[in-house]
Amino acid sequence: MTGSTATLRERALHARNAMSAEDCRRRSASITDTLYDILNQTGGETVALYCAVRNEVNVTPLLERLPALQFGFPVIDSNRDLQFYKARTVGDLVVGKYGIPAPCLESAQYLQPANIDAVVVPVVAFDTLCNRIGMGGGYYDRTLAGWRNATFIGVAYETQRCERIKPQSWDIPMHQIVTDKHVYERTYDAKKR
């Protein structure tokens, strides 16, 4: 895929939305297996996940597979940034903004960004250099812009890969992109943004 950001987003969303529920389940399981291996090897204690909607890669099985880790899920704050709150099971989540499951703020514990070791980020489109296109709201780019300690791991289906994305100055690259076929790694230290 080549084209403008809007065109790439539209094509990648079309490819993702055309997948059957069974295909999404099977490919998500493959991606989750790879993430399990990566997170086991990194030695971190706290991981930020997200809850999948609209055929996104489902990463919530990691909650059961990695019981020793702490997990956080995003909540959109009044500044349109993401804040992460602790959740142990999918049952700890309630319907949040845009219909996306999120932690209940009355009972969930806030996770300081400095204490989050890895962030698993949903991806709409990506290239092999680990540039990503999201849904267009800029939530992850704004939120992760100042983070220096966490590893950013994008997840997508291989069918969402583009030939080349021309990132904007505010776009935050991933350290890795995990798909059902490959693990792409950034070729330079993406922490020196």
Side-chain angles (χ1 to χ4, degrees):
M1 285 188 273
T2 59
S4 69
T5 298
T7 301
L8 293 174
R9 180 181 294 114
E10 182 180 330
R11 289 178 187 164
L13 283 172
H14 178 75
R16 189 179 80 191
N17 293 337
M19 293 171 55
S20 69
E22 176 55 28
D23 199 19
C24 288
R25 188 206 59 73
R26 183 178 49 78
R27 291 179 189 216
S28 289
S30 173
I31 292 166
T32 301
D33 286 344
T34 303
L35 281 174
Y36 173 83
D37 292 339
I38 289 170
L39 294 173
N40 260 330
Q41 293 169 8
T42 59
E45 297 178 4
T46 305
V47 177
L49 294 180
Y50 67 92
C51 211
V53 294
R54 298 178 290 278
N55 277 5
E56 288 177 330
V57 175
N58 180 11
V59 295
T60 56
L62 291 169
L63 292 166
E64 291 180 11
R65 293 185 66 185
L66 294 166
L69 297 184
Q70 290 189 83
F71 289 98
F73 285 82
V75 173
I76 300 170
D77 70 14
S78 59
N79 294 324
R80 296 183 41 136
D81 292 329
L82 300 178
Q83 294 186 346
F84 293 89
Y85 289 81
K86 192 173 176 180
R88 187 62 248 159
T89 69
V90 176
D92 293 340
L93 306 176
V94 297
V95 177
K97 195 165 186 168
Y98 305 118
I100 299 170
C104 176
L105 295 183
E106 287 80 36
S107 59
Q109 176 187 352
Y110 173 70
L111 293 172
Q112 293 287 339
N115 295 331
I116 297 175
D117 301 300
V119 184
V120 178
V121 180
V123 171
V124 171
F126 70 96
D127 64 18
T128 59
L129 299 176
C130 295
N131 295 305
R132 75 176 269 280
I133 295 173
M135 289 297 294
Y139 295 104
Y140 278 96
D141 290 321
R142 276 192 308 279
T143 301
L144 301 179
W147 291 28
R148 297 288 179 254
N149 300 321
T151 299
F152 305 154
I153 306 171
V155 291
Y157 307 114
E158 187 66 27
T159 55
Q160 295 170 262
R161 183 171 54 85
C162 303
E163 184 176 315
R164 179 79 172 104
I165 291 172
K166 294 179 183 171
Q168 302 296 316
S169 61
W170 58 83
D171 289 332
I172 301 298
M174 300 291 98
H175 294 98
Q176 296 174 309
I177 302 273
V178 178
T179 76
D180 45 306
K181 301 287 184 194
H182 299 286
V183 175
Y184 298 94
E185 304 230 8
R186 192 94 177 149
T187 55
Y188 68 89
D189 186 1
K191 289 184 180 180
K192 295 181 181 174
R193 287 183 253 291

